[in-house]
């Protein structure tokens, strides 16, 4: 089951990249404001051009089922460890890794896709990789 690819405007807004007004008569920069609530699983951005008044709202499309499978998670983690930008296998949106506190001094991460809303937490290295 695959989901539609995340729109380019959403990816650019998520990365904080500059966006130009899409109107042919106006190529001024667009302001990007995140308007999603703190508890939302997906992010929503308001795009506005102050020069011509154009505005649009672009946001994620929450679809958390099916969750990432083990092979997808391993590919995501490998990309992260290689300092590449991991993307969600369902929508190709960039993923966010957040380091979590762990009293046993092992690496613990939360991984978020702000387009589809999938999330997971995991220890690294995994338990089965221990000697």
């Amino acid at each position: 089951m695959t989901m539609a690819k995340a729109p380019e405007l959403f990816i650019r807004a998520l990365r904080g990249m500059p966006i130009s007004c899409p109107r042919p008569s106006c190529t001024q920069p667009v302001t990007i404001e995140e308007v999603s609530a703190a508890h939302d699983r997906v992010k929503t951005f308001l795009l506005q051009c102050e020069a011509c008044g154009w505005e649009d709202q672009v946001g994620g499309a929450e679809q958390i089922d099916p969750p990432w499978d083990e092979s997808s998670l391993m590919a995501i983690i490998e990309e992260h460890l290689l300092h590449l930008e991991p993307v969600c296998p369902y929508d190709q949106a960039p993923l966010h890794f957040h380091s979590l506190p762990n009293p046993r001094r092992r690496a613990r991460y939360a991984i978020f896709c702000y387009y589809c809303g999938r999330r997971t937490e995991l220890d690294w290295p995994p338990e089965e990789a221990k000697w």
Side-chain angles (χ1 to χ4, degrees):
M1 182 174 181
T2 59
M3 208 175 146
K5 186 177 187 302
E8 186 64 29
L9 280 178
F10 178 85
I11 293 172
R12 292 182 70 83
L14 184 64
R15 289 179 176 153
M17 298 172 71
I19 297 174
S20 297
C21 182
R23 285 191 175 162
S25 59
C26 179
T27 58
Q28 295 298 310
V30 169
T31 59
I32 304 167
E33 178 185 354
E34 184 182 343
V35 293
S36 45
H39 66 277
D40 289 347
R41 292 183 73 98
V42 298
K43 288 191 181 270
T44 304
F45 299 95
L46 179 62
L47 311 174
Q48 294 179 310
C49 177
E50 292 181 18
C52 71
W54 172 86
E55 66 177 46
D56 194 10
Q57 191 167 329
V58 62
E62 188 172 338
Q63 181 178 339
I64 58 174
D65 287 320
W68 295 312
D69 61 19
E70 195 66 32
S71 63
S72 295
L73 278 174
M74 292 309 292
I76 289 167
I77 292 165
E78 184 176 324
E79 289 175 343
H80 178 70
L81 292 173
L82 292 172
H83 300 282
L84 302 172
E85 182 179 52
V87 295
C88 179
Y90 292 102
D91 53 46
Q92 303 303 301
L95 297 175
H96 176 76
F97 274 69
H98 182 74
S99 184
L100 299 172
N102 192 339
R104 291 172 283 181
R105 298 200 179 269
R106 296 182 63 218
R108 182 150 179 81
Y109 295 99
I111 305 171
F112 305 96
C113 178
Y114 289 124
Y115 186 74
C116 67
R118 287 177 176 85
R119 299 177 177 189
T120 193
E121 291 184 11
L122 53 95
D123 290 320
W124 191 260
E127 197 66 36
E128 59 271 11
K130 282 186 162 183
W131 297 63

